[in-house]
Amino acid sequence: MSELPPIAKDPDSRRRMMRLRELTFAQGCREFALRKAGMIHAMDGGLWLHRHVWKGEPLVHLVSTDRARLVAFGTALGLPEHRLQYKPLKDPRSELRREAWHWDLGGPVYPPLDARLLTP
């Protein structure tokens, strides 16, 4: 059996989405109904999936203060590390700016909705 390509380059869209869904679950990514709760999760080193629209297209920022966790996620997905973006964010609990990073996930690597990741 041949080895599968990296998720980001998998030409089989159905298989790619299934693999992406499992990766986000296995890596402990979470989505939150409230932005503040997601930000706190990211500030504590968790992986926060923040959905929004950019230039009319759906996009997810995968945000965390734990750079190593984000790099591991990107490596598993097949993203080059130089695409990881640095953006300090204000911790809503203390109002202090902290180092944080995010991946832009869109197009073929837009994570499908998964009820297992949702936190009210």
Side-chain angles (χ1 to χ4, degrees), residues 50-61 105-107 109-111:
H50 176 242
R51 294 182 189 273
H52 59 101
V53 176
W54 186 68
K55 294 188 177 183
E57 296 296 323
L59 186 72
V60 167
H61 280 154
L105 304 175
V109 293
Y110 182 79

Side-chain angles (χ1 to χ4, degrees), residues 28-29 38 40-48 63-66 69-70:
C29 299
I40 290 170
H41 180 72
M43 292 291 129
D44 289 342
L47 298 177
W48 172 38
V63 182
S64 185
T65 57
D66 188 335
R69 282 189 77 187
L70 285 168

